[in-house]
Amino acid sequence: MVAMSVVVLFFSGIFLTNSHVLGLLRSTLESTASVRTLNGRAEQLRSSTWTQVTDANYIANTLLATAPDSGGDLGALTETIDIATFPAGAGTPIQVRRDPDGMRTVVLAGDAALPTLPAVRIDVTSSWVTNGGRTRMRQMSMIFGRGGISGRN
């Protein structure tokens, strides 16, 4: 009876350890997928012109038109791109969101002052729901200058 108890405890420990390791592997897979998603969106922004980067309709209808390739490992992926003046000042910011169902929404459309400014700060955010039901989020921030990092007007 004592030997059986020891064997049961041993196998229970192995099972719990295995369960914990699989959870960590899943979390790592999701984290890697979210970073790849953010990097992909950043590269799309970098290859855009200044007038495209400061246009909410271009971001909604072109940049966020397709789901990212690496987003398949993320449950209920929501992407948000925020564009604000840098340094903070005049001008209405832009915010565009892509929901898990592919619906794109221009939350804030910006104004005519944004394309005339010398620089903007862009925040790209990915949020998703894990298998356990927890909401996770990753964010990347960049500063674009007109004629600078985007390279073209």
Side-chain angles (χ1 to χ4, degrees), residues 45-52 145-153:
L45 286 162
R46 286 184 189 117
S47 66
S48 302
T49 65
W50 179 256
T51 53
Q52 292 170 336
R146 187 169 23 148
I149 195 166
S150 63
R152 304 183 305 257
N153 288 324

Side-chain angles (χ1 to χ4, degrees), residues 16-145:
L16 288 174
T17 302
N18 187 37
S19 175
H20 183 68
V21 168
L22 289 176
L24 289 174
L25 285 173
R26 178 68 186 166
S27 177
T28 301
L29 174 70
E30 290 175 352
S31 182
T32 302
S34 69
V35 168
R36 288 181 58 210
T37 299
L38 291 174
N39 285 335
R41 294 300 185 200
E43 289 305 316
Q44 285 180 308
L45 286 162
R46 286 184 189 117
S47 66
S48 302
T49 65
W50 179 256
T51 53
Q52 292 170 336
V53 166
T54 55
D55 180 12
N57 291 320
Y58 173 81
I59 292 169
N61 298 323
T62 305
L63 258 69
L64 295 177
T66 58
D69 293 337
S70 57
D73 293 323
L74 304 173
L77 174 64
T78 301
E79 297 178 280
T80 307
I81 297 178
D82 294 298
I83 301 174
T85 61
F86 182 83
T92 305
I94 293 172
Q95 184 179 61
V96 182
R97 184 180 65 238
R98 185 179 201 284
D99 294 326
D101 60 0
M103 179 70 142
R104 297 170 316 275
T105 307
V106 176
V107 179
L108 295 170
D111 60 16
L114 206 56
T116 65
L117 298 173
V120 294
R121 188 188 83 223
I122 302 176
D123 299 322
V124 183
T125 307
S126 293
S127 61
W128 69 96
V129 179
T130 65
N131 284 345
R134 291 180 52 198
T135 301
R136 306 279 301 196
M137 182 184 77
R138 290 273 190 266
Q139 184 175 36
M140 173 186 286
S141 295
M142 303 168 283
I143 297 175
F144 277 37

Side-chain angles (χ1 to χ4, degrees), residues 4-16:
M4 287 298 282
S5 298
V6 170
V7 169
V8 167
L9 282 174
F10 176 74
F11 282 119
S12 296
I14 289 175
F15 176 74
L16 288 174

